[in-house]
Amino acid sequence: MSKTKVLLVGESWVSAATHYKGFDQFGSVTFHLGAEPLVKALRDSEFELDYMPAHEAVEKLPFTIEGLSQYDAIILSDIGANSLLLHPDVWLHGKTVPNRLKLLRDWTNAGGGLVMVGGYFSFQGIDGKARWHRTAVEDALPVTCLPNDDRLEIPEGFRPSITGSKDHPILAGIEGDWPLLLGANEVVAKDRDDVEVLASLPQDQGGHPLLVVGRHGKGRTVAWTSDIGPHWLPNSFVEWPGYARLWKNVLSWVSKAV
């Protein structure tokens, strides 16, 4: 039986630090991957995951529908729109390239499964710099992004509220209270018959959408507005048995495997 092919785009960053020790100082640079919990959850499963870090996606995310169509599902996580718009040929050499935001929309419309996961460079992001608002990718998502910084920082934690049908395949096998989360991106669920908010923040935290499903043409779409791992998604959530079940359910549903 062939596996469901999934592409995870983003979830990486480089940090530069300067260390001061009296008169002296030195610098250091470190590279980080943020999706190890998901990689671990999908290991030895029915899913074949390709992990394309943000810096690689700038040049390597396919520029054709045919290239994207090798995947059943594509996850955009913590990567801003600029990374897919400003290819070096555009940014450095003033040349034209295909618009991959439009290609992702059209690939979804043709039957692909598109997922956006929350983070500082997801939806609209920190200082509004992720800038997915009013893009072709937003057209395909089941939610609308805000035009400004959309972070909901909740250091005291919040427990997700299940607001959709418990019979939905994405919620299958997930029992009891969900662990606490520490933040999310604020979005607005689209007012359409095909859109369903399966989980939300509690009303005392605004009741904002957390897990939203919808359709775009022949494709399916999912928005998960919290993180894929720490910090918004604490270790207690990662270690919860429902974490792996949730993501397997999301990918099965969005790729039409169920």
Side-chain angles (χ1 to χ4, degrees):
M1 182 178 178
S2 61
K3 292 192 173 187
T4 301
K5 292 200 67 175
V6 179
L7 175 64
L8 170 63
V9 184
E11 279 299 338
S12 71
W13 63 97
V14 175
S15 299
T18 302
H19 308 262
Y20 296 93
K21 297 193 174 184
F23 182 86
D24 298 301
Q25 59 86 21
F26 69 94
S28 65
V29 177
T30 51
F31 175 70
H32 308 268
L33 292 170
E36 292 96 330
L38 181 63
V39 172
K40 181 179 179 181
L42 298 182
R43 189 171 294 134
D44 300 323
S45 73
E46 63 271 34
F47 302 98
E48 180 183 336
L49 180 67
D50 287 349
Y51 189 173
M52 184 179 288
H55 67 283
E56 293 184 6
V58 173
E59 296 190 63
K60 291 186 178 180
L61 186 73
F63 284 89
T64 65
I65 293 289
E66 292 75 20
L68 295 174
S69 294
Q70 65 184 295
Y71 299 102
D72 302 295
I74 296 177
I75 305 170
L76 300 175
S77 183
D78 220 348
I79 181 170
N82 282 332
S83 291
L84 304 185
L85 291 170
L86 298 176
H87 184 275
D89 282 349
V90 176
W91 177 243
L92 299 176
H93 306 296
K95 298 180 179 179
T96 62
V97 301
N99 188 323
R100 288 176 288 181
L101 275 57
K102 293 180 179 179
L103 288 173
L104 284 165
R105 177 197 60 196
D106 296 344
W107 167 82
T108 307
N109 186 66
L114 182 65
V115 181
M116 182 171 283
V117 173
Y120 273 27
F121 274 87
S122 298
F123 300 102
Q124 200 67 357
I126 187 168
D127 300 331
K129 290 180 178 178
R131 53 183 312 275
W132 291 103
H133 179 55
R134 298 179 68 180
T135 66
V137 165
E138 185 190 55
D139 291 343
L141 293 174
V143 298
T144 299
C145 305
L146 302 186
N148 48 266
D149 189 321
D150 60 4
R151 291 170 301 136
L152 298 165
E153 300 286 359
I154 306 175
E156 71 274 26
F158 70 89
R159 198 173 301 281
S161 298
I162 305 304
T163 50
S165 170
K166 294 185 179 180
D167 294 329
H168 196 284
I170 286 180
L171 299 178
I174 303 175
E175 305 293 339
D177 290 338
W178 292 24
L180 296 176
L181 294 167
L182 301 178
N185 299 90
E186 182 180 348
V187 298
V188 178
K190 291 179 179 176
D191 185 14
R192 296 199 317 244
D193 291 341
D194 63 281
V195 171
E196 183 176 3
V197 180
L198 298 182
S200 302
L201 278 69
Q203 287 302 315
D204 64 356
Q205 295 287 359
H208 305 292
L210 175 65
L211 177 59
V212 188
V213 298
R215 297 174 185 269
H216 182 69
K218 296 179 181 179
R220 296 181 175 184
T221 62
V222 174
W224 167 257
T225 63
S226 192
D227 217 329
I228 216 168
H231 82 281
W232 278 350
L233 199 77
N235 288 323
S236 58
F237 201 108
V238 170
E239 294 163 1
W240 174 54
Y243 174 84
R245 183 72 269 154
L246 173 64
W247 280 105
K248 290 176 181 178
N249 288 352
V250 165
L251 294 172
S252 292
W253 183 84
V254 81
S255 64
K256 302 182 183 176
V258 294

